[in-house]
Amino acid sequence: FINYPVKDFDLTEFMQTTSNNEEKFIYDLVAVSSHTGSLTWGHYIAYARQQINGPWCKFDDHCVTQLSSNQD
């Protein structure tokens, strides 16, 4: 498992910037791709937000399922 913030993930310290640049590199998680199987076969499922701050949905082939709102 990888643990990191889902909202306001600040990557500023890892970006190359000039000393005069005060730009921030802050991101929110909007999608995750999951693969089961091996290198030669398998299946992908995507989890993504509907719009900004919308509900999370599971995209599995032709089936799209909205996840419960308490999974932010």
Side-chain angles (χ1 to χ4, degrees), residues 48-63:
R49 276 197 181 269
Q50 295 266 338
Q51 303 174 350
I52 298 173
N53 296 321
W56 282 91
C57 293
K58 176 182 174 183
F59 297 85
D60 186 359
D61 290 337
H62 65 278
C63 183

Side-chain angles (χ1 to χ4, degrees), residues 9-58:
F9 187 30
D10 190 353
L11 295 174
T12 304
E13 68 179 281
F14 304 106
M15 304 302 288
Q16 182 177 3
T17 60
T18 63
S19 59
N20 295 336
N21 189 352
E22 294 185 18
E23 184 176 6
K24 299 287 184 183
F25 296 89
I26 299 174
Y27 299 90
D28 292 342
L29 182 69
V30 295
V32 175
S33 177
S34 174
H35 178 266
T36 57
S38 70
L39 292 175
T40 57
W41 65 271
H43 182 71
Y44 285 94
I45 296 174
Y47 300 88
R49 276 197 181 269
Q50 295 266 338
Q51 303 174 350
I52 298 173
N53 296 321
W56 282 91
C57 293
K58 176 182 174 183

